Amino acid sequence: MSLTLLLVQGLNGLQLGILLFLIAAGLTLVFGVMDFINLAHGVQYMLGAYFAAHFAAATDSFWLALLLALPATLLVGLVLEFLVFRHLYDRDHMAQVLATFGVILILNDGVRWVFGSAPLQVPMPEALTGGFPIMDGLLYPHYRLAIIAGGLATAGLLWWLVERTKVGMLIRAGATNAPMVAALGVDIRRLFMVVFGFGAMLAGFAGVMAAPILSVEPGMGDNLLILAFVVIVIGGIGSVRGAFLAALLVGLVETLGRSLMPDVMRLFLDPSSARQVGAALASMLVYIAMAAILALRPAGLFPVRTA
Amino acid sequence: MLSLRGLRKNFGGLAVTDDVTLDVSPGEIHAIIGPNGAGKTTLINEISGVLPLDAGQILFDGRDVTRLPLHRRARLGLARSFQITSIIPDFSALENTALAVQAGDGSSFRFFRPTASEARLNTAAMAALDSVGLAHRAATPAGAMSHGEKRQLELAIALATQPRLLLLDEPLAGAGPEETERLIGILRSFRGRYTIMLVEHDMQAVFALADRISVLVYGRLIATGGPELIRQNPEVRAAYLGEDDIPLSGAPC
C-alpha cells in the first residue's frame, strides 16, 4: 500500500461521502421534521441518474441534462409527496416503511420498463475529461474532483439556507419541536413539502453527478440508501451538520476499509484467507463504526436537542 | 371572545369532554381547574385545534373555527402554550421570539430573506421579551436558561404571535416558589391587555389571578363563576375531597 494509493482512495472516499451527504441531507430533515421514514429516498438518486442519461442522450450535453434533471427530480418528489407520502404522516413507522418500500419496488420496475434493464452510460462532460497528475503516470480524473467541489459548494449553500434564512430557521425549529411551531401559526405540512421537494432534488443532484462514473441501472439507489440511513443515525437525526460529518466519515471508512482491510489482514493470515476475511470485515466496518459511535453518543454526533 | 358550544369528545367509550359550554369574555382571565384526569389539557387541545371534536362548535370572535386546522387558528390570534416546556434550546431567547413573530405574520415562506437583517422582526421580538421581563437575557441560548426563565420565554413566544386569546396549559408547572411569584406577577400584568384562558393546578395562583373559574370533573363543567362563588360551591368541594394536595379552603384571596 503506497502513499499515492492511500491518497487516491482517500479522495474516492471523500467523493462517496459527498454523494452520501446529498442523499442524507434530505433524509435527515424529513425524518427530523416530520418523523417520517422514507425508504424511497434512494429512488430519487436513481431517478436523477436516469433523467441525466435521458436528457444527455436527447440534448447531447451533460450540462443541459443537469439543468433539466434537477427540476424533473423536484417534480417527481413533489408528486410522490402529494400522491403517497402525505397520507402516511399520521401512520406509524411500520406503515411508512411498508408503503415507501412499495414505492421503491414500483419505481425500480418502472425505470426497467421505460429504459430497459441494461445499464446506461452517461458520457462525461467534455471540459472535465482530463486528469490531475498526482504522481508520475497517475492521473486523478478531473470529473471526480468536480464532484467533490460541487458537493462541497452545495453543502455550503445548504448551510447558508438552514442557518441564515427564515425558512431555515423554521426548519431547524420544526426539527426540534414541530407541535410548537405549528401552534405558532406555521403550516407545518407546507413547510414539510418544501423540505421534501428540496431533499428529493438534492438526492437527484447526487444521481446526476454519479451518472458518468457509475452505470445507471435499476436499484442503484438501494445500497446508498442503507448507507444514508447509517449516516443520519451517526450524525444525529434532523441535523444537517451531523449528516455532513457523518457522510464524510462513512464514505472514508467504507472506501479505505475496502482497500486497506485485506492488507491489514495479511499481517496475521496467509494471503488467500486474508483477502476473504479482509473483504468480509471491510463490508462490516461501517456498521462497527456506527455501533461504536452510538455506544458513546446514543443520539448521534450532533443530536438535535428537544426542550 | 371565545364561545364553546356543547363540545363533545370520546376516547373509546370514555367521554373526556362531555357537553362543555362556556363563554370567555374579552379581557378576562378565565381559569379551568379540576382534579387530575378531568380533561383540562384535552379541552385546551380541542380549542387550539390539536384534537378534532366529535360534536359541538367553537366560535372565536363570532367566527366558527371548529373545522380550522391548528395553524389557521393561531393566525387568527389563538396562541397557546404547552404543559411541557416548549422552546428551541439551541436558539437564543431573541431567536425563539423572532421565530414566533415571523410565524405570526406569515412571511416565513419568503425563502431567501436573511433572518438577522430584519430589524422589524427583532424589534417586535424585543418588545415581547420586555413584557415578560427577559429583555436583558435576549442573547442567552434558551437551553441555558433556568426553568422559570424558560416559562417566561414561553409567554414571550406566545405574545409575539400577536394573540387575541392566550391559552395557557399549566404555565406554572415545575416552577419554584420564587419563580411562581414572578410568573404570577407577569400574568397579572397581562390583565386587561389580553384575554387569557388557563389551566393550572396551583390553586393559590388560580384564586389570586382569575376573574372567573370553571371547574371540570370527568369532562363535565360542574360550575363557573367568580373565585368566591367557586370556593363556596359544595359540588366543587365534593369533587376535590380526597385530593390533599389542593388546599381549596386555605387559598387566600
Side-chain angles (χ1 to χ4, degrees):
Chain A
M1 171 66 51
S2 70
L3 196 65
T4 322
L5 193 53
L6 199 66
L7 183 65
V8 168
Q9 291 298 351
L11 283 171
N12 283 344
L14 200 61
Q15 176 223 308
L16 175 65
I18 292 281
L19 291 181
L20 274 177
F21 167 69
L22 292 177
I23 298 171
L27 200 61
T28 200
L29 284 175
V30 165
F31 201 171
V33 177
M34 288 303 276
D35 194 28
F36 175 63
I37 299 185
N38 179 17
L39 292 187
H41 197 66
V43 165
Q44 293 288 346
Y45 166 81
M46 173 186 75
L47 287 177
Y50 267 100
F51 281 131
H54 176 70
F55 289 128
T59 63
D60 238 1
S61 157
F62 174 82
W63 303 110
L64 270 180
L66 173 67
L67 217 61
L68 291 170
L70 289 183
T73 49
L74 174 69
L75 192 69
V76 172
L78 291 178
V79 167
L80 281 177
E81 201 271 345
F82 185 77
L83 290 181
V84 185
F85 304 144
R86 180 166 291 198
H87 311 287
L88 296 168
Y89 300 152
D90 295 330
R91 306 286 192 101
D92 59 18
H93 283 164
M94 187 46 87
Q96 296 169 355
V97 164
L98 285 175
T100 55
F101 188 67
V103 171
I104 297 184
L105 297 181
I106 291 168
L107 287 180
N108 276 350
D109 252 12
V111 295
R112 193 170 285 132
W113 195 46
V114 175
F115 297 100
S117 16
L120 303 181
Q121 300 293 335
V122 177
M124 220 167 261
E126 199 116 330
L128 297 171
T129 41
F132 178 81
I134 294 186
M135 245 188 178
D136 320 328
L138 186 73
L139 293 177
Y140 194 77
H142 279 151
Y143 185 75
R144 284 177 182 262
L145 290 175
I147 290 183
I148 296 175
L152 286 177
T154 311
L157 179 72
L158 202 58
W159 173 85
W160 178 77
L161 266 180
V162 170
E163 295 290 328
R164 287 286 179 272
T165 65
K166 290 167 85 173
V167 80
M169 194 166 171
L170 273 186
I171 290 168
R172 282 180 295 145
T176 311
N177 193 335
M180 167 191 159
V181 173
L184 292 177
V186 174
D187 187 345
I188 205 91
R189 293 270 157 119
R190 195 165 140 218
L191 177 68
F192 182 58
M193 230 179 105
V194 170
V195 171
F196 195 91
F198 198 70
M201 195 169 73
L202 282 179
F205 180 49
V208 175
M209 291 207 301
I213 52 173
L214 299 173
S215 56
V216 179
E217 56 192 348
M220 66 185 280
D222 301 355
N223 290 333
L224 275 183
L225 177 80
I226 294 170
L227 283 180
F229 267 105
V230 172
V231 164
I232 70 171
V233 169
I234 291 181
I237 287 163
S239 163
V240 175
R241 190 166 52 141
F244 181 69
L245 286 177
L248 295 189
L249 185 76
V250 168
L252 285 171
V253 166
E254 173 81 6
T255 312
L256 289 177
R258 282 195 196 285
S259 62
L260 288 181
M261 277 320 261
D263 285 347
V264 173
M265 284 301 119
R266 204 166 297 172
L267 298 174
F268 313 105
L269 301 164
D270 63 275
S272 82
S273 32
R275 203 173 319 123
Q276 279 181 357
V277 173
L281 268 180
S283 52
M284 286 189 267
L285 215 52
V286 165
Y287 304 98
I288 295 171
M290 174 169 81
I293 288 171
L294 290 186
L296 294 173
R297 298 181 66 100
L301 293 175
F302 293 97
V304 171
R305 289 193 296 162
T306 47
Chain B
M1 185 94 219
L2 179 72
S3 282
L4 311 180
R5 299 261 170 273
L7 305 191
R8 275 181 201 285
K9 176 84 188 168
N10 291 316
F11 285 147
L14 187 71
V16 286
T17 305
D18 192 359
D19 196 19
V20 169
T21 294
L22 182 68
D23 280 289
V24 178
S25 24
E28 82 166 323
I29 298 182
H30 196 115
I32 309 283
I33 63 170
N36 281 326
K40 302 184 293 288
T41 296
T42 304
L43 187 63
I44 294 276
N45 282 339
E46 288 159 0
I47 299 171
S48 63
V50 175
L51 277 177
L53 286 164
D54 293 341
Q57 207 182 20
I58 301 171
L59 300 174
F60 182 56
D61 250 355
R63 176 174 176 175
D64 188 344
V65 298
T66 318
R67 306 255 162 264
L68 286 187
L70 175 68
H71 69 272
R72 293 282 308 281
R73 294 189 206 190
R75 294 280 272 281
L76 287 175
L78 241 166
R80 73 162 292 179
S81 75
F82 293 84
Q83 193 170 344
I84 299 158
T85 313
S86 288
I87 46 147
I88 311 294
D90 288 334
F91 287 16
S92 73
L94 185 67
E95 285 173 322
N96 265 285
T97 321
L99 175 77
V101 176
Q102 64 155 311
D105 71 10
S107 65
S108 307
F109 287 95
R110 274 166 228 151
F111 291 0
F112 304 114
R113 196 82 63 82
T115 35
S117 65
E118 292 215 11
R120 190 186 47 79
L121 275 185
N122 288 340
T123 314
M126 272 312 281
L129 283 176
D130 196 39
S131 49
V132 301
L134 276 183
H136 64 293
R137 301 282 273 162
T140 311
M145 290 181 146
S146 73
H147 180 76
E149 285 177 322
K150 284 182 189 163
R151 303 247 73 160
Q152 282 168 261
L153 177 58
E154 284 181 293
L155 291 177
I157 291 172
L159 291 189
T161 61
Q162 310 248 322
R164 320 202 35 218
L165 174 72
L166 285 171
L167 286 171
L168 307 178
D169 193 359
E170 297 200 26
L172 306 177
E178 265 176 56
E179 294 173 334
T180 301
E181 197 91 338
R182 188 166 353 124
L183 285 163
I184 291 177
I186 292 165
L187 288 174
R188 197 177 273 138
S189 76
F190 291 173
R191 171 174 278 140
R193 285 195 290 153
Y194 299 99
T195 310
I196 299 176
M197 183 166 175
L198 74 119
V199 163
E200 187 48 64
H201 269 298
D202 185 332
M203 286 301 131
Q204 295 211 10
V206 165
F207 281 93
L209 269 174
D211 298 307
R212 285 199 301 158
I213 298 171
S214 291
V215 186
L216 200 63
V217 178
Y218 296 121
R220 293 187 72 90
L221 277 184
I222 59 166
T224 294
E228 210 42 51
L229 208 68
I230 293 299
R231 206 195 303 264
Q232 311 296 341
N233 187 312
E235 256 191 288
V236 176
R237 304 186 77 93
Y240 272 108
L241 271 181
E243 290 227 5
D244 299 336
D245 55 325
I246 301 178
L248 199 59
S249 53
C253 203

